[in-house]
Amino acid sequence: MFVDQVKIDVKAGNGGNGMVAFRREKYVPNGGPAGGDGGRGGNVIFKVDSGMNTLMDFRYHRKFKAKNGGNGANKSMTGRSAEDLVIPVPEGTTVTNTETGQVIGDLTKPDQELVVAKAGRGGRGNIHFASPTNPAPEIAENGEPGQEISLSLELKVLADVGLVGFPSAGKSTLLSVITSPKPKIAGYHFTTLVPNLGMVRLDDGRDFAVADLPGLVEGASNGVGLGFQFLRHVERTRVILHLVDMSGVEGRDPFEDYLAINKELSQYDERILNRPQIIVATKMDLPDSEANLADFKQKLAGQGQTDHAVPEIFPISSVTHTGLTDLIRKTADLLDTTSLADMEEPEDTTKSYDYEPADTSDFKISYDKEYESWVISGDKIERLFKMTDTEHDQSMLRFARQMHGMGIDDALRKAGAKDGDTVSILDFSFTYVE
């Protein structure tokens, strides 16, 4: 089954907890603190697998979680760092933050990697908190939480040549003749519901990939018919073969079909029409095709296109194989002189972005009337609390100093907090004291 859009949740591993421990050995009178650091958690990494051509593997497995780092141990021993979780994805996968719509990365090269969720670092053991005033600290950090994010994966087929045209224009038939795949062919519309890929090999050693893309209808750029299911995949093709049915057996005007398809392409992304396009006049073995082709050429010449060059026309018949050799050679010649970089791609396909949490403020204060409690929230303060070892008083006092340094005490006072009020952060509550 071909799947080209999925939504998944990923969670990087938390860092391991630091340890509070002291060295007690015979003949070592001044042992001191000896709590080790926690190990780093595992990152979540996407890696391109050239053997994959669909996102089917994500259809029933939508939650991915990397392992946490090991906790620190006594004798200043550091916990084991977790292995990264490497998830294979097909070439042409675009990764987007589901909540913000931000593109995190575009994976288009074999073995390309992208870190989509960063692991938390290990917490520090009490050996790091020793000082002249506190030579035996009972302070350690919990591991930093790993990033958690919801992602949308979208596969855009990577092909050199895209076959476009109205349903039943002959795309599947042409693909079956010039390549090895055997797509579904029938005498009704929308026999192709997913892109079919095939390789064309010329006698001179050149080859290129061809994608038979689902048929368009008017309004596709607004989601009508197969809509974006088609248009998404044409973005990466370097040359477009625009198939136009010249037989007229359905009572359609070939020239109007040609204009309608170009209009949908332009409305989706006007840059697509900057790419080399060949008009492929199909079904030339049928009786009225020659007359319709002559009329088509006359209308095309009289159109007076100025924004884009008038494409070359290649009459073919996939049944009799007429004109196929010339069409394939011309397509290969265009590919030799065309690259996506020359056509002002809307996105840099090699660029990737570091994921940052949506809430970048240090803290926020609100009042929960139901529980009659002040609530402190925010990425930074919540991360500091998660990294606080609540089992040791000295660690909690350190967290109190961190809150004071961030200005939370003053903010609570200005918000109206009074002695004895309850203050909550995540699932922990304490009493506010002036």
Side-chain angles (χ1 to χ4, degrees):
M1 182 182 294
F2 183 83
V3 177
D4 59 358
Q5 282 184 309
V6 293
K7 292 182 179 180
I8 64 172
D9 297 315
V10 298
K11 170 73 167 67
N14 299 333
N17 297 334
M19 187 176 189
V20 174
F22 297 92
R23 186 177 180 186
R24 298 184 181 89
E25 293 183 36
K26 192 176 182 180
Y27 309 120
V28 183
N30 299 316
D37 300 342
R40 179 186 63 83
N43 295 312
V44 180
I45 300 174
F46 285 165
K47 183 175 181 179
V48 173
D49 182 351
S50 299
M52 295 179 66
N53 56 15
T54 174
L55 296 173
M56 180 64 187
D57 291 350
F58 298 93
R59 189 175 179 89
Y60 302 108
H61 186 187
R62 295 178 182 257
K63 293 184 182 294
F64 297 85
K65 184 178 181 181
K67 293 183 178 180
N68 298 331
N71 294 332
N74 56 12
K75 297 184 179 180
S76 303
M77 290 189 292
T78 301
R80 182 188 297 273
S81 293
E83 293 185 0
D84 294 334
L85 175 60
V86 180
I87 304 172
V89 296
E91 288 184 67
T93 301
T94 300
V95 185
T96 305
N97 184 329
T98 303
E99 296 180 359
T100 66
Q102 179 194 30
V103 174
I104 297 176
D106 206 358
L107 300 167
T108 60
K109 299 178 180 179
D111 298 324
Q112 183 180 353
E113 294 185 354
L114 174 68
V115 178
V116 294
K118 294 180 180 179
R121 64 174 176 83
R124 292 176 293 175
N126 67 334
I127 58 174
H128 295 281
F129 298 96
S131 67
T133 58
N134 188 9
E138 292 188 357
I139 301 175
E141 289 179 333
N142 290 335
E144 181 182 23
Q147 289 182 339
E148 187 172 2
I149 182 174
S150 295
L151 300 173
S152 297
L153 307 186
E154 183 177 81
L155 175 62
K156 299 175 182 178
V157 168
L158 287 175
D160 301 306
V161 178
L163 307 182
V164 307
F166 264 84
S168 296
K171 299 183 297 298
S172 298
T173 305
L174 176 60
L175 184 73
S176 69
V177 172
I178 63 176
T179 68
S180 55
K182 301 300 178 186
K184 183 178 180 181
I185 301 171
Y188 52 85
H189 292 181
F190 295 106
T191 52
T192 302
L193 298 178
V194 299
N196 290 308
L197 283 173
M199 288 297 298
V200 177
R201 291 179 174 83
L202 283 72
D203 295 336
D204 57 12
R206 292 182 294 174
D207 57 26
F208 55 85
V210 181
D212 164 23
L213 303 169
L216 276 171
V217 293
E218 291 187 64
S221 57
N222 295 319
V224 177
L226 295 176
F228 297 123
Q229 227 175 316
F230 160 83
L231 292 165
R232 176 188 319 121
H233 299 293
V234 79
E235 287 184 37
R236 299 200 195 276
T237 58
R238 290 189 286 149
V239 172
I240 296 174
L241 298 187
H242 190 154
L243 276 63
V244 182
D245 180 0
M246 290 295 169
S247 66
V249 294
E250 296 186 6
R252 303 180 62 87
D253 183 344
F255 188 69
E256 293 299 324
D257 286 354
Y258 167 75
L259 294 179
I261 294 294
N262 277 348
K263 179 181 177 182
E264 296 304 325
L265 294 175
S266 177
Q267 288 182 343
Y268 179 74
D269 185 348
E270 61 182 12
R271 282 174 265 224
I272 291 177
L273 293 186
N274 292 331
R275 302 177 189 182
Q277 185 176 135
I278 297 175
I279 299 174
V280 182
T282 64
K283 306 183 182 180
M284 293 304 296
D285 53 302
L286 297 181
D288 296 330
S289 296
E290 289 292 347
N292 290 334
L293 177 58
D295 183 59
F296 182 92
K297 289 180 177 179
Q298 184 177 3
K299 291 179 179 179
L300 185 65
Q303 187 183 24
Q305 293 186 0
T306 56
D307 295 337
H308 307 283
V310 177
E312 195 171 350
I313 301 175
F314 278 79
I316 69 161
S317 170
S318 297
V319 176
T320 64
H321 293 194
T322 304
L324 295 183
T325 301
D326 292 339
L327 174 62
I328 291 172
R329 287 176 179 169
K330 178 61 178 179
T331 303
D333 292 341
L334 281 177
L335 288 171
D336 289 341
T337 59
T338 305
S339 68
L340 281 177
D342 298 331
M343 295 177 286
E344 301 180 8
E345 276 286 279
E347 295 288 347
D348 180 356
T349 56
T350 63
K351 189 175 183 180
S352 62
Y353 305 84
D354 289 334
Y355 164 66
E356 295 294 340
D359 181 9
T360 56
S361 59
D362 289 347
F363 67 89
K364 294 179 182 178
I365 294 178
S366 59
Y367 187 74
D368 189 329
K369 293 182 179 179
E370 181 179 357
Y371 295 98
E372 298 182 346
S373 169
W374 295 96
V375 179
I376 303 173
S377 60
D379 285 327
K380 183 175 180 179
I381 187 62
E382 289 178 4
R383 184 170 64 253
L384 288 174
F385 177 75
K386 289 177 181 178
M387 295 180 67
T388 298
D389 183 358
T390 57
E391 295 182 359
H392 292 88
D393 291 341
Q394 288 188 26
S395 293
M396 292 302 297
L397 287 173
R398 176 173 178 262
F399 178 66
R401 291 194 298 270
Q402 289 174 324
M403 288 198 300
H404 179 74
M406 293 173 63
I408 293 179
D409 292 352
D410 293 337
L412 283 169
R413 189 179 303 108
K414 290 179 181 178
K418 300 177 181 178
D419 263 344
D421 284 358
T422 300
V423 181
S424 300
I425 176 170
L426 296 177
D427 58 351
F428 183 82
S429 299
F430 58 92
T431 301
Y432 176 73
V433 179
E434 283 279 3

